[in-house]
């Protein structure tokens, strides 16, 4: 073969490989924190307005029966990223300065994408633990998101109400100065620094339960922190900050397939809307940060539109768990709620085994590929691993997930039949239109958050078709159903 032929063959091969690459859609998971089923106006439940999310929902598919894998954050995120039920891992519980919950040898969504030549990034809330053992925030923190498959990570380590209140970029605390090291403890205070408990006069937002340790920006947090002043985040600018980083990430990666986990902090506490959103909802900070979240999602959509990426991008919007009003600060969430219904018609909320603990907004959008639809079929975030894997032509699968790719892209087709729901390590079974909640100790209603948790000394059986608000326990009258669900529950839990 002469040189010319070899060069043109090589060029043709290169072109072919580039073409097949471009067929792989970008995938963006937009993940809200504590956003309820009724908080998105496209769901026609509450009184808040979310026009940007609604637009995406109306152009795409609105799933009415979409679930997160847990009623709290870390376990839900664990399941989303690993396709594995969180109750299989005893460490998959709400992280407060914990070690990395995902094993670095485990298969993960970002690793799956990476293997298929995607660029991968997480921007926003992580809350899956960092390091292994005591963390030194003044050196590179490993393992973390980069060690489980993200090429790029720009994160809030745990939650907005937990220390350290700093961003971490690829394992390094952003803007940290050598002369002012950062120390963190969840046990003891440093040098008698003021806390929310000892110095309430320094607070701009008062704590209601928990959240009474180190004060940053007038808000006391969970845990103690000292130093690292230059690195402290500004709460009111957090949404803009994550959005800016997200936009520039998209700009830099627009020519290759990318998987982006845009993990928003709203409407988790402390709710700190930028001043331009203050008062916009009439519902106080909780409503205002949802308006802010909606604006951010609109900006992200615009960015994709401007860069001509909408036709090559699958967008998924969901939330890590159901809604809560009072989650530890006096912020008028209860007082200013009015007629709004964050849980929609469903019972419970964040922390609950009842439906609203995990039944969350779930929307897919892919211009030109996904046709507008509304789907009542059951789908869980735990299915995203297998479904996305199938969509991009990979053969990787997880044990607990199902491949619901056609449901995800059309709203029709095979749905999930059985799903284990989880809240605080307690589990329940949803099977078709039935839910079985085993007996659990603990109060029926949380005395702090006022959420109905689902605990009862009896088994509870509900038929969601007739009774979506789970008011009537059918355990005594539907004996056969009860036994069927109990056997199925035991079978899944023990496998
Ligand atoms: C709880 C916090 C709550 C919230 C939650 C995590 C107290 C009393 N409550 O422990 O405010 O931070 O953890 O929420 O401290 S999640 O959405 O990240 O799971
Ligand atoms: Ca959450």
């Amino acid at each position: 073969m002469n040189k010319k032929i070899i060069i043109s063959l090589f060029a043709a091969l290169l072109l072919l490989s580039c073409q097949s690459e471009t067929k792989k859609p970008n995938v963006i998971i937009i993940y809200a924190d504590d956003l309820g089923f009724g908080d998105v106006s496209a769901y026609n439940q509450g009184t808040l307005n979310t026009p940007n999310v609604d637009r995406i929902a109306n152009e795409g598919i609105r799933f009415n029966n979409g679930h997160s894998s847990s009623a709290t954050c870390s376990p839900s995120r664990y399941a989303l990223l690993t396709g594995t039920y969180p109750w299989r891992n005893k460490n998959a519980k709400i992280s407060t300065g914990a070690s990395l919950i995902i094993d670095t040898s485990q298969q993960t969504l970002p690793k799956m994408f990476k293997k298929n030549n995607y660029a991968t990034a997480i921007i926003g809330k992580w809350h899956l633990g960092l390091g292994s053992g005591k963390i030194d925030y003044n050196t590179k923190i490993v393992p973390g998101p980069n060690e489980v498959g993200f090429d790029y990570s720009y994160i809030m380590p745990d939650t907005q109400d937990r220390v350290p209140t700093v961003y971490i970029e690829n394992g390094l605390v952003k803007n940290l100065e050598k002369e002012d090291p950062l120390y963190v403890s969840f046990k003891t205070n440093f040098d008698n620094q003021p806390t929310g408990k000892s110095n309430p006069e320094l607070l701009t937002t008062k704590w209601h339960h928990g959240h009474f340790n180190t004060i940053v920006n007038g808000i006391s947090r969970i845990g103690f922190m000292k130093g690292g002043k230059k690195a402290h985040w500004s709460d009111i600018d957090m949404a803009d900050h994550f959005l800016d980083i997200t936009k520039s990430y998209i700009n830099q990666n627009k020519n290759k397939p990318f998987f982006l986990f845009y993990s928003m902090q709203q409407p988790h506490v402390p709710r700190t809307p930028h001043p331009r959103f203050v008062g916009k909802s009439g519902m106080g900070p909780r409503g205002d940060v949802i308006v802010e979240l909606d604006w951010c999602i609109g900006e992200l959509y615009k960015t994709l539109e401007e860069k001509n990426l909408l036709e090559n991008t699958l967008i998924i919007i969901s939330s890590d768990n159901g809604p809560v009003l009072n989650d530890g600060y006096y912020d008028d969430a209860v007082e200013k709620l009015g007629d709004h219904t964050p849980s929609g018609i469903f019972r419970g909320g964040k922390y609950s085994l009842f439906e609203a603990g995990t039944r969350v907004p779930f929307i897919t959008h892919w211009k030109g590929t996904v046709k507008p639809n509304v789907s009542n079929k059951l789908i869980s975030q735990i299915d995203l691993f297998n479904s996305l894997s199938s969509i991009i032509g990979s053969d990787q699968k997880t044990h607990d997930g199902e491949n619901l790719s056609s449901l995800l892209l059309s709203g029709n087709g095979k749905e999930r039949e059985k799903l284990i729901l989880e809240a605080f390590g307690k589990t329940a079974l949803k099977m078709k239109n039935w839910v079985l909640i085993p007996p659990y100790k603990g109060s029926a209603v949380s005395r702090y958050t006022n959420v109905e948790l689902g605990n009862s000394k009896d088994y509870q059986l509900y038929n969601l078709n007739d009774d979506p608000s789970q008011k009537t326990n059918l355990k005594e009258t539907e004996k056969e159903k009860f036994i069927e669900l109990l056997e199925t529950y035991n079978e899944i839990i023990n496998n």
Side-chain angles (χ1 to χ4, degrees):
M1 248 187 273
N2 71 26
K3 226 177 173 182
K4 254 190 188 161
I5 299 182
I6 294 178
I7 291 173
S8 41
L9 260 177
F10 186 70
L13 268 176
L14 198 74
L15 193 76
L16 256 178
S17 74
C18 286
Q19 276 172 347
S20 59
E21 287 291 287
T22 50
K23 276 188 200 137
K24 289 184 174 163
N26 306 310
V27 176
I28 303 181
I29 299 181
I30 303 176
Y31 210 47
D33 192 0
D34 301 358
L35 187 71
F37 183 85
D39 284 322
V40 169
S41 41
Y43 281 86
N44 302 314
Q45 304 271 316
T47 57
L48 257 176
N49 275 322
T50 53
N52 292 296
V53 177
D54 290 7
R55 175 182 181 182
I56 298 176
N58 295 333
E59 289 176 2
I61 305 166
R62 168 163 62 86
F63 289 91
N64 286 331
N65 202 1
H67 278 263
S68 63
S69 303
S70 168
T72 62
C73 176
S74 312
S76 242
R77 287 158 199 263
Y78 174 81
L80 171 75
L81 293 183
T82 63
T84 299
Y85 276 131
W87 43 268
R88 295 197 194 279
N89 176 354
K90 65 174 181 4
N91 296 326
K93 51 185 192 211
I94 298 177
S95 158
T96 301
S99 298
L100 182 64
I101 292 169
I102 302 174
D103 195 305
T104 50
S105 65
Q106 239 173 307
Q107 57 177 351
T108 66
L109 201 52
K111 277 187 196 171
M112 186 276 289
F113 277 109
K114 229 172 121 136
K115 217 172 165 197
N116 287 275
N117 300 321
Y118 275 67
T120 56
I122 168 166
I123 297 164
K125 175 170 171 172
W126 174 239
H127 210 193
L128 281 162
L130 291 171
S132 48
K134 195 168 165 34
I135 303 172
D136 179 357
Y137 288 90
N138 305 292
T139 56
K140 190 159 185 184
I141 304 158
V142 284
N146 299 62
E147 285 66 40
V148 299
F150 289 105
D151 301 325
Y152 178 71
S153 66
Y154 193 100
I155 59 165
M156 157 164 87
D158 275 345
T159 58
Q160 207 184 328
D161 55 351
R162 281 168 174 74
V163 301
T165 56
V166 296
Y167 299 120
I168 299 178
E169 185 180 39
N170 295 327
L172 294 171
V173 172
K174 189 81 183 164
N175 299 329
L176 185 65
E177 294 182 321
K178 269 213 172 73
E179 312 73 65
D180 183 25
L182 172 66
Y183 300 104
V184 172
S185 166
F186 290 95
K187 288 200 184 104
T188 41
N189 195 3
F190 297 96
D191 316 330
N192 292 320
Q193 289 194 128
T195 64
K197 202 173 204 172
S198 62
N199 296 74
E201 75 285 357
L202 299 178
L203 300 175
T204 49
T205 302
K206 303 247 179 282
W207 55 275
H208 175 274
H209 56 274
H211 309 97
F212 45 65
N213 303 144
T214 295
I215 303 170
V216 184
N217 306 331
I219 304 166
S220 48
R221 320 274 166 155
I222 300 172
F224 303 98
M225 173 173 115
K226 175 187 155 182
K229 283 257 155 54
K230 269 268 164 64
H232 295 187
W233 67 47
S234 158
D235 290 277
I236 55 171
D237 294 309
M238 185 178 283
D240 286 336
H241 190 62
F242 284 143
L243 178 65
D244 285 347
I245 291 171
T246 298
K247 281 185 181 170
S248 58
Y249 180 81
I250 292 174
N251 205 18
Q252 280 161 27
N253 290 276
K254 59 179 184 292
N255 296 325
K256 42 188 154 179
F258 61 82
F259 165 59
L260 169 64
F261 183 29
Y262 177 40
S263 177
M264 306 178 81
Q265 88 281 10
Q266 306 107 324
H268 195 284
V269 296
R271 294 148 181 153
T272 54
H274 186 272
R276 68 188 191 280
F277 295 103
V278 171
K280 287 286 184 281
S281 68
M283 285 179 211
R286 184 176 186 277
D288 294 347
V289 296
I290 295 177
V291 175
E292 180 184 72
L293 164 142
D294 181 68
W295 177 83
C296 291
I297 294 177
E299 289 298 296
L300 177 61
Y301 182 96
K302 258 198 242 160
T303 305
L304 295 170
E305 197 170 34
E306 281 161 16
K307 312 242 173 291
N308 272 324
L309 291 173
L310 281 177
E311 286 178 350
N312 193 30
T313 302
L314 168 59
I315 303 171
I316 300 167
I317 304 180
S318 200
S319 172
D320 65 345
N321 51 252
V324 59
L325 294 173
N326 179 344
D327 207 13
Y329 294 97
Y330 286 97
D331 64 3
D332 282 342
V334 176
E335 294 76 3
K336 294 197 171 157
L337 187 66
D339 294 330
H340 182 57
T341 48
S343 295
I345 55 166
F346 301 115
R347 190 170 176 184
K350 179 178 181 178
Y351 308 117
S352 176
L353 272 177
F354 286 126
E355 203 62 6
T358 54
R359 174 114 54 136
V360 287
F362 199 123
I363 294 159
T364 58
H365 181 283
W366 180 357
K367 192 176 176 188
T369 299
V370 163
K371 295 201 183 70
N373 202 357
V374 175
S375 177
N376 293 324
K377 296 204 169 185
L378 179 60
I379 186 165
S380 163
Q381 290 167 9
I382 206 166
D383 302 318
L384 288 176
F385 187 112
N386 291 10
S387 308
L388 293 171
S389 171
S390 152
I391 289 169
I392 68 160
S394 138
D395 57 5
Q396 286 193 48
K397 297 194 222 11
T398 68
H399 171 70
D400 292 328
E402 290 188 23
N403 174 4
L404 304 179
S405 49
S406 61
L407 183 57
L408 203 64
L409 299 183
S410 72
N412 297 311
K414 187 184 146 214
E415 68 181 316
R416 178 175 265 281
E417 293 211 335
K418 304 162 200 165
L419 174 67
I420 298 290
L421 311 171
E422 191 263 0
F424 279 126
K426 299 167 182 176
T427 48
L429 171 70
K430 177 159 173 169
M431 188 158 93
K432 299 200 171 135
N433 54 307
W434 292 89
V435 172
L436 175 74
I437 307 179
Y440 289 110
K441 288 192 182 126
S443 53
V445 180
S446 159
R447 71 186 164 109
Y448 297 112
T449 58
N450 204 26
V451 170
E452 285 193 284
L453 300 170
N455 299 325
S456 160
K457 57 183 188 342
D458 292 319
Y459 278 97
Q460 300 174 72
L461 179 71
Y462 298 102
N463 178 349
L464 298 175
N465 274 357
D466 305 336
D467 178 24
S469 308
Q470 298 176 304
K471 292 214 165 79
T472 313
N473 184 358
L474 300 176
K475 188 212 141 195
E476 297 300 336
T477 48
E478 296 283 349
K479 285 242 155 68
E480 270 179 35
K481 257 297 157 216
F482 170 66
I483 289 167
E484 188 192 343
L485 266 89
L486 186 58
E487 283 176 0
T488 311
Y489 169 79
N490 286 327
E491 204 179 295
I492 305 177
I493 290 285
N494 297 319
N495 274 290

